[in-house]
């Protein structure tokens, strides 16, 4: 349930509503939107009578949220959530860009890639230090050493860092090196991890699970938000279908659907979605045309020698060309790449 306060509501009115909700057994969360203050009633209480709240001073209206996710629901706030990191914005009219290799291999590899990407205006560098590999016998990542490398390379190029976290025990370490924490597809329903990430004050990229429905995905976002962290970026990275030609099947419908259901930004990862370098460019252009709030793209300074996901990694010159193209496409759909 949402209690929307009128423009003339005083701080006292807002506090009264919050206290009344708490007395009824809810947790009250006050959010100050651009236009109005909304008091969210968190918790499940079937027997509550909406009229009790409608009659309180300063209350404009009471909205019953019927979806199973509440804080992530579109109705829960008037405006789109914008997540901003290092001057890059995701959400509303902004399309943010993230690029970098699949995995951190060495200082030299990261530095060469970051150098090239900085020439294409990349401000957020990606790179995995802990890799969720399907086989335990393949490269598992450099671990904390890798995080140190990506942090220092990013600092040298004035970039922010995003990297995938796999376990609760790594949160403290990630807070030291990383600006955006990434939850991989395989961990979308690691509920204990999601709950813990609700307590931190850094943005989280939540990748869609391999076969997750929109509702399951938004419920996972709700786990993070219910802990108090509203900075969630959803990432469509392809789903598992019967088709084997591409690594996954990129579900571009996710963009308009999520925008209807939620105020959270949605970005697209065309690299893991297609698994093929030559499919990354057209699908990136399509995602921007469909109004996505950002892209996360794998780029390696020399993909032929990449330890991981070389076949889907762009050459830096390809990324540069793509960047120039999507910068032209974005304004056609009312978006801006900053
Ligand atoms: C990644 O981004 O490196 C990755 C492993 O992606 P996903 O979780 O989408 O497979
Ligand atoms: Mn990868």
């Amino acid at each position: 349930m949402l209690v929307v306060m009128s423009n003339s509501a005083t701080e006292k009115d807002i506090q009264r509503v919050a206290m009344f909700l708490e007395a009824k057994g809810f947790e009250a969360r006050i959010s100050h939107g651009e236009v109005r203050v909304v008091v969210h009633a968190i918790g499940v209480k079937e027997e509550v009578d909406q009229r009790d709240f409608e009659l309180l001073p300063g209350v404009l209206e009471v909205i019953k949220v019927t979806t199973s996710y509440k804080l992530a629901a579109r109705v829960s706030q008037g405006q789109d959530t914008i997540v901003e990191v290092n001057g890059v914005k995701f959400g509303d009219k902004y399309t943010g860009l993230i690029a970098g290799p699949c995995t951190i291999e060495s200082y030299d590899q990261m530095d060469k890639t970051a150098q090239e990407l900085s020439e294409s205006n990349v401000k957020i560098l990606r790179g995995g230090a802990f890799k969720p590999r399907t086989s335990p016998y393949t490269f598992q990542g450099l671990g904390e050493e890798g995080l140190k490398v990506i942090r220092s390379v990013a600092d040298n190029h004035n970039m922010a860092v995003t990297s995938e976290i796999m376990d609760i025990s790594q949160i403290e370490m990630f807070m030291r090196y990383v600006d955006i924490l990434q939850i991989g597809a395989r961990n979308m329903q690691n509920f204990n991890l999601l709950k813990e990430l609700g307590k931190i004050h850094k943005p989280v990229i939540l990748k869609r699970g391999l076969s997750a429905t929109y509702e399951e995905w938004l419920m996972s976002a709700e786990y993070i938000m219910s802990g108090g962290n509203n900075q969630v970026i959803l990432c469509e990275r392809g789903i598992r279908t019967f088709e084997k030609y591409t690594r996954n099947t990129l579900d571009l419908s996710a963009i308009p659907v999520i925008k209807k259901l939620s105020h959270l930004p949605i970005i697209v990862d065309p690299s893991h979605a297609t698994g093929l370098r030559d499919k990354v460019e057209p699908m990136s252009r399509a995602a921007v045309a469909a109004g996505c709030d950002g892209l996360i793209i794998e780029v390696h300074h020399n993909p032929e020698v990449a330890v991981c996901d070389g076949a889907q990694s762009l050459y830096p010159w390809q990324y540069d060309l793509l960047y120039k193209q999507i910068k032209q496409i974005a304004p056609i759909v009312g978006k801006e790449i900053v």
Side-chain angles (χ1 to χ4, degrees):
M1 193 171 72
L2 302 173
V3 184
V4 183
M5 305 302 294
S6 71
N7 286 340
S8 57
T10 63
E11 190 51 39
K12 211 170 147 197
D13 295 337
I14 298 165
Q15 291 306 329
R16 189 186 297 109
V17 168
M19 276 159 61
F20 198 42
L21 281 171
E22 278 160 9
K24 296 262 180 204
F26 290 99
E27 186 199 325
R29 182 98 36 91
I30 300 166
S31 82
H32 293 262
E34 260 168 45
V35 190
R36 288 206 163 79
V37 171
V38 172
V39 188
H40 299 261
I42 317 278
V44 187
K45 291 273 168 300
E46 301 299 342
E47 70 282 7
V48 70
D49 188 342
Q50 272 182 229
R51 289 169 303 178
D52 290 345
F53 294 90
E54 278 160 359
L55 294 171
L56 292 176
V59 172
L60 180 70
E61 63 174 330
V62 176
I63 301 170
K64 195 159 189 268
V65 185
T66 49
T67 51
S68 38
Y69 44 90
K70 313 284 178 199
L71 296 167
R74 163 64 68 195
V75 290
S76 78
Q77 65 181 52
Q79 67 288 343
D80 285 353
T81 290
I82 299 175
V83 176
E84 182 172 354
V85 176
N86 199 24
V88 179
K89 292 183 193 168
F90 303 87
D92 196 21
K93 58 181 194 293
Y94 303 105
T95 307
L97 301 174
I98 302 172
C102 177
T103 189
I104 303 154
E105 299 165 20
S106 66
Y107 189 92
D108 188 57
Q109 166 246 10
M110 287 307 292
D111 197 52
K112 282 193 171 123
T113 305
Q115 176 58 42
E116 301 239 34
L117 289 175
S118 68
E119 287 162 27
S120 304
N121 206 25
V122 170
K123 303 261 176 48
I124 306 177
L125 186 63
R126 65 149 287 152
F130 296 87
K131 297 303 297 176
R133 304 303 297 277
T134 302
S135 162
Y137 306 118
T138 51
F139 181 64
Q140 302 287 304
L142 292 181
E144 185 168 2
E145 216 31 61
L147 292 180
K148 285 184 185 160
V149 167
I150 194 171
R151 181 75 265 167
S152 106
V153 167
D155 286 346
N156 289 344
H157 295 279
N158 298 317
M159 290 174 172
V161 167
T162 183
S163 197
E164 178 172 350
I165 182 163
M166 301 229 292
D167 193 79
I168 295 179
S169 62
Q170 298 165 339
I171 293 178
E172 223 184 278
M173 184 202 309
F174 269 70
M175 292 302 280
R176 288 201 295 274
Y177 303 108
V178 166
D179 304 296
I180 308 175
L181 287 79
Q182 185 180 316
I183 299 280
R186 292 153 195 82
N187 262 320
M188 189 203 83
Q189 287 188 317
N190 183 340
F191 298 120
N192 289 334
L193 179 58
L194 300 177
K195 274 190 213 163
E196 288 303 310
L197 294 183
K199 298 179 192 159
I200 66 167
H201 298 289
K202 287 197 180 189
V204 174
I205 291 176
L206 179 64
K207 288 198 149 193
R208 182 179 183 183
L210 302 173
S211 54
T213 64
Y214 299 136
E215 191 177 7
E216 287 165 339
W217 191 12
L218 289 168
M219 285 307 289
S220 290
E222 189 79 11
Y223 263 96
I224 301 170
M225 297 179 81
S226 64
N229 186 355
N230 297 324
Q231 293 187 284
V232 179
I233 300 171
L234 299 165
C235 178
E236 161 62 36
R237 45 78 70 205
I239 49 172
R240 188 164 279 187
T241 67
F242 50 80
E243 184 53 66
K244 294 215 162 39
Y245 188 90
T246 48
R247 185 172 177 179
N248 292 289
T249 298
L250 179 55
D251 176 18
L252 283 182
S253 322
I255 300 166
V257 173
I258 290 295
K259 283 188 170 295
K260 184 176 170 130
L261 300 178
S262 177
H263 52 83
L264 293 174
I266 172 168
I267 67 170
V268 169
D269 173 348
S271 311
H272 293 90
T274 64
L276 300 163
R277 186 181 305 134
D278 62 339
K279 310 293 178 288
V280 170
E281 295 171 77
M283 295 323 285
S284 299
R285 293 193 293 260
V288 172
C292 72
D293 298 308
L295 293 169
I296 177 165
I297 299 179
E298 286 188 345
V299 184
H300 192 289
H301 74 95
N302 186 3
E304 280 116 76
V305 299
V307 168
C308 180
D309 286 350
Q312 67 189 37
S313 300
L314 296 186
Y315 290 89
W317 65 266
Q318 287 180 305
Y319 179 83
D320 193 61
L321 187 64
L322 178 61
Y323 171 59
K324 289 179 176 134
Q325 292 174 340
I326 57 179
K327 246 183 119 62
Q328 290 183 59
I329 296 171
I332 298 171
V333 293
K335 306 279 282 189
E336 192 185 325
I337 295 178
V338 279

